[in-house]
Amino acid sequence: MEEQLVQYIAENLVSHPDQVQVRRRDTSRNIVLELSVAQGDMGRVIGRNGRVANSIRTLLRAMPEANQHGRERRRRVILEIE
């Protein structure tokens, strides 16, 4: 679910949405999302002083993650932009 949110936001920010890729790595404590965009679109995703990237991270923190039994479990979501 987190990957789809990042994919959607990034595709709507960049000039080359076909080059947006989001990969997910799960660890026991974290979810790592690796966002790749075209080199020329890097500034659009990061934003001035990192404001856009930080806004995306804020949205990711606000999303709940449910475990198999439906109880909420919080894992840290880390967004890496490449």
Side-chain angles (χ1 to χ4, degrees):
M1 181 176 229
E2 294 90 354
E3 309 92 84
Q4 291 91 355
L5 176 65
V6 172
Q7 182 92 25
Y8 177 80
I9 293 170
E11 285 177 350
N12 286 285
L13 288 173
V14 300
S15 298
H16 304 285
D18 55 312
Q19 294 186 28
V20 173
Q21 293 182 341
V22 180
R23 287 178 299 284
R24 177 183 175 132
R25 286 187 291 129
D26 286 296
T27 67
S28 60
R29 300 174 114 187
N30 302 319
I31 299 170
V32 180
L33 299 177
E34 298 170 349
L35 171 63
S36 298
V37 298
Q39 190 65 34
D41 289 329
M42 192 69 73
R44 291 175 180 263
V45 173
I46 295 173
R48 181 171 291 165
N49 295 323
R51 288 186 181 152
V52 174
N54 286 334
S55 295
I56 296 170
R57 289 180 177 114
T58 299
L59 289 171
L60 291 169
R61 275 195 306 272
M63 292 181 68
E65 183 192 350
N67 66 12
Q68 297 167 345
H69 302 290
R71 293 182 302 242
E72 252 186 56
R73 181 176 59 144
R74 301 296 291 174
R75 285 195 294 170
R76 185 173 172 207
V77 179
I78 300 169
L79 176 65
E80 296 178 351
I81 301 172
E82 307 172 341

